Amino acid sequence: MTNATRTLRAMLVTTALAAVAACGSSSPFGSLGLGGGDPVAAQATRQAARSQGVENVAVNRYLWAASLDVLNFLPIQSVDPFTGVIVTGFGTPPGGSRAYKATIYITDPALDARSLNVALQTRGGAASVETQRAVEDAILSRARQLRIADGRL
């Protein structure tokens, strides 16, 4: 078994454990609620987007929900559905020992790998490319599951 296969398997197991752990949660945003997040960071994100000529970006709702589902072990610091940015703080996956921090950027309304950008960091620097790819794959798989469950193929 290659390292990439082991990493992918570990991320899928972690995702499954996180999904089971989230079953008792009342909100994927934790104590922040749907309108939560750091208002200063969210405002800065909106201003940066406006300065680049982007007023509102339509994001794929399945990618958005899947990102929150898969990375639900990370505390949400800022969410901005208008520009498609989710910023988290450091958190440790269930059964893991390394803490991660993520920035998710959903750039398009299409349910497509090109619409999703995930940047992962550890306390020691950037996470490996394999880990980032495994997280992106887990988010895309979950988004497809949500779309199928929604009945809109």
Side-chain angles (χ1 to χ4, degrees):
M1 188 172 350
T2 66
N3 284 338
T5 305
R6 274 187 237 138
T7 302
L8 179 59
R9 183 176 285 174
M11 289 305 298
L12 291 174
V13 169
T14 301
T15 301
L17 290 173
V20 170
C23 289
S25 175
S26 62
S27 170
F29 295 96
S31 62
L32 296 175
L34 283 173
D38 180 2
V40 174
Q43 182 65 24
T45 302
R46 279 193 287 286
Q47 286 175 349
R50 286 185 190 121
S51 71
Q52 295 175 2
V54 178
E55 192 59 36
N56 282 328
V57 175
V59 299
N60 185 284
R61 71 181 190 164
Y62 302 112
L63 286 175
W64 185 267
S67 297
L68 295 172
D69 281 353
V70 169
L71 298 173
N72 69 355
F73 62 91
L74 298 175
I76 301 293
Q77 286 187 341
S78 172
V79 293
D80 192 349
F82 301 107
T83 58
V85 177
I86 302 170
V87 179
T88 71
F90 281 101
T92 305
S97 59
R98 179 174 284 172
Y100 293 96
K101 177 180 179 177
T103 301
I104 300 99
Y105 184 40
I106 302 169
T107 60
D108 197 85
L111 179 52
D112 187 68
R114 292 172 292 195
S115 301
L116 177 68
N117 294 306
V118 177
L120 284 178
Q121 291 182 334
T122 64
R123 295 196 190 273
S128 69
V129 173
E130 294 85 16
T131 303
Q132 288 188 38
R133 182 151 313 174
V135 170
E136 286 177 351
D137 290 344
I139 291 171
L140 290 165
S141 294
R142 180 65 181 141
R144 288 184 194 103
Q145 291 172 351
L146 292 171
R147 182 174 178 211
I148 290 168
D150 198 22
R152 295 183 181 171
L153 291 177

